Amino acid sequence: MPTDSTRQDTFWTQRDADAFAELMLVKTRQYGVMFYDTDLRITGWNQGAAFITGWTADQVLGKPTGILFVPEDRERKLDEHEAHTAALVGVGEDERWHLRSDGSCFWASGVSVPLHRDEHGKVTGFVKIFRDATHLRARTRYLENELKDNVARQAERDVFIGTVAHEMRNPLSPLRSAQQLLQMFAGDAERSRQPLAVMDRQLGFLEKLIEDLVDLTRVQSGKLSISYEKIPLQVLLSEAVDSCRPAAQAQQISFHLSFPAVTIEVEVDSRRINQVFVNLINNAIKYNHPGGDVWLTATADQTHFVCYLKDNGKGIPSELQPKIFDVFTQAENTGAQRGEGLGIGLAVVKEIVSLHQGTVEVRSEGVGKGSEFIVRVPLQKPA
């Protein structure tokens, strides 16, 4: 039969209640149950409490509940605080070190709640239910230490990347200047055209790598700023496509563009969003086959503009897709189709889009089946 006929959301039989009481008070060893009065004297002690602490009922009945608390907690009167909180708000949380009879400690996890009240509603007795969660505490401490170590390693890596990026900038400027001078004063233009083109291409790769490294360190240190301005979406995307046309033409890649006929004005950091699409388009070219295709379509709803960049190139392995935007993912998957480079560009793409409070996702049916990136960004600067 129900124990409280006024509550429609609870029900149990007296048989269930009797069995539960016997389980908790007599049979279980996983949960300690301690009854105590308003003077904080122990009035009841179950089998689980004896198993967890090592004290028998005869040893603790009439003793203060403070015998469970470590000395420093007793000095701070946390035993009294737990009972006071239980009486005041209905439950006193208990997540702290407790003592066993042999002086050793265990991490207790449980609660104290009022059990008895007089005719005026004043609390006259409590019950404390607890368990030994030392193994969970140890696991938590281990994970906390691992997190601290990972944070430290991340900080060290960020410093290293930033240092390398800035050091690489130093020789890059004179290299670029020398290459430009060679172009200006080359005696035999026909013989120098090919090596100069190679130098130009490789310097371009190096410049992009350095900028990606610098952007990555800025993002991870919270120093990458966003400067919003209003610009037509069609202009923004067209500029990105035009930047990538030489690379596409070299690979005989065809662009297929579909933008709204009506101008859509967006409020973004145009330089950073251009960086996002140039990076994605260059990837669509880089991981495509000669003569392949790249589709870029754009649309907008009431709050966001959405761009779909699709290619029919090498595709992305299923195991790589969940971490494709993680830094250094490409370097860790050098055997994959999309495995060249350091995998920095897409990490920067994700961070720039996130700074705009947008999202970027990837879809691919697997190797050899092309890929699609979907970028979704608010139309206006978030409030």
Side-chain angles (χ1 to χ4, degrees):
M1 60 181 179
T3 61
D4 184 355
S5 60
T6 64
R7 294 290 301 273
Q8 300 300 316
D9 57 346
T10 61
F11 177 87
W12 56 82
T13 66
Q14 187 60 49
R15 180 169 175 267
D16 291 335
D18 292 342
F20 181 73
E22 183 179 7
L23 174 68
M24 289 298 295
L25 298 178
V26 180
K27 294 181 178 180
T28 186
R29 302 173 75 180
Q30 284 73 38
Y31 289 90
V33 179
M34 177 181 73
F35 301 93
Y36 60 99
D37 58 26
T38 52
D39 293 327
L40 306 187
R41 297 285 174 178
I42 300 173
T43 59
W45 195 252
N46 82 328
Q47 178 68 25
F51 176 75
I52 294 171
T53 68
W55 279 302
T56 64
D58 291 341
Q59 293 173 311
V60 300
L61 289 177
K63 298 289 180 66
T65 59
I67 65 171
L68 280 177
F69 289 71
V70 296
E72 51 268 36
D73 284 351
R74 284 201 300 268
E75 290 177 5
R76 291 181 290 178
K77 297 185 177 181
L78 293 184
D79 51 339
E80 298 178 17
H81 177 70
E82 184 178 315
H84 176 73
T85 302
L88 184 65
V89 302
V91 61
E93 299 286 345
D94 181 42
E95 300 282 342
R96 58 175 57 87
W97 292 108
H98 276 351
L99 289 172
R100 294 190 180 93
S101 61
D102 61 4
S104 63
C105 295
F106 68 95
W107 184 259
S109 175
V111 293
S112 277
V113 294
L115 186 64
H116 303 297
R117 296 180 184 271
D118 61 19
E119 62 273 15
H120 303 294
K122 184 179 179 180
V123 176
T124 59
F126 300 87
V127 61
K128 178 185 176 88
I129 303 172
F130 61 94
R131 64 170 179 155
D132 181 358
T134 306
H135 62 294
L136 297 179
R137 177 62 176 174
R139 180 64 177 169
T140 300
R141 292 296 296 273
Y142 170 78
L143 293 175
E144 289 173 349
N145 291 334
E146 283 291 298
L147 178 60
K148 290 179 181 178
D149 290 342
N150 286 333
V151 170
R153 287 194 293 268
Q154 178 70 42
E156 292 173 356
R157 189 179 72 175
D158 290 346
V159 172
F160 171 75
I161 292 173
T163 302
V164 169
H166 287 287
E167 288 299 320
M168 289 173 69
R169 272 180 164 173
N170 294 331
L172 185 61
S173 180
L175 277 174
R176 174 59 77 182
S177 298
Q179 182 258 339
Q180 291 172 346
L181 287 172
L182 284 172
Q183 284 182 321
M184 292 172 59
F185 302 113
D188 189 338
E190 191 63 33
R191 295 180 62 185
S192 62
R193 182 179 295 114
Q194 180 62 26
L196 284 172
V198 172
M199 289 178 64
D200 184 64
R201 184 166 59 253
Q202 295 305 318
L203 282 168
F205 290 154
L206 185 57
E207 286 173 336
K208 183 179 183 304
L209 170 60
I210 291 173
E211 290 309 312
D212 282 347
L213 282 168
V214 171
D215 284 341
L216 181 64
T217 55
R218 285 173 180 167
V219 166
Q220 293 181 337
S221 62
K223 296 180 180 179
L224 184 65
S225 59
I226 298 296
S227 300
Y228 284 90
E229 62 176 318
K230 293 184 178 180
I231 183 173
L233 175 61
Q234 291 88 337
V235 172
L236 186 66
L237 297 177
S238 295
E239 289 178 350
V241 171
D242 290 340
S243 298
C244 302
R245 284 194 186 278
Q249 290 170 354
Q251 296 293 322
Q252 298 179 332
I253 303 293
S254 299
F255 284 132
H256 308 275
L257 310 178
S258 178
F259 303 154
V262 178
T263 299
I264 298 176
E265 189 173 69
V266 298
E267 189 176 10
V268 296
D269 186 323
S270 60
R271 185 171 71 90
R272 293 299 180 187
I273 293 298
N274 176 273
Q275 183 180 352
V276 165
F277 285 104
V278 167
N279 195 304
L280 293 177
I281 295 170
N282 276 331
N283 275 354
I285 296 169
K286 180 179 180 181
Y287 298 109
N288 213 323
H289 305 288
D293 297 279
V294 174
W295 294 265
L296 176 59
T297 62
T299 186
D301 55 27
Q302 293 181 336
T303 59
H304 292 72
F305 68 87
V306 187
C307 298
Y308 302 86
L309 182 70
K310 186 176 181 180
D311 66 72
N312 58 353
K314 299 179 180 180
I316 306 174
S318 57
E319 66 273 13
L320 184 60
Q321 292 178 36
K323 52 183 181 179
I324 191 71
F325 296 104
D326 295 344
V327 66
F328 301 133
T329 290
Q330 306 258 30
E332 296 169 359
N333 293 271
T334 54
Q337 291 291 326
R338 297 178 74 96
E340 301 174 8
L342 291 177
I344 297 172
L346 288 179
V348 173
V349 164
K350 180 183 178 182
E351 295 297 344
I352 291 175
V353 173
S354 296
L355 285 173
H356 284 81
Q357 297 188 21
T359 60
V360 57
E361 59 181 294
V362 64
R363 298 173 184 169
S364 178
E365 294 183 5
V367 176
K369 297 183 179 180
S371 59
E372 181 179 28
F373 287 82
I374 303 97
V375 179
R376 182 178 176 86
V377 177
L379 288 168
Q380 296 180 335
K381 176 181 178 180

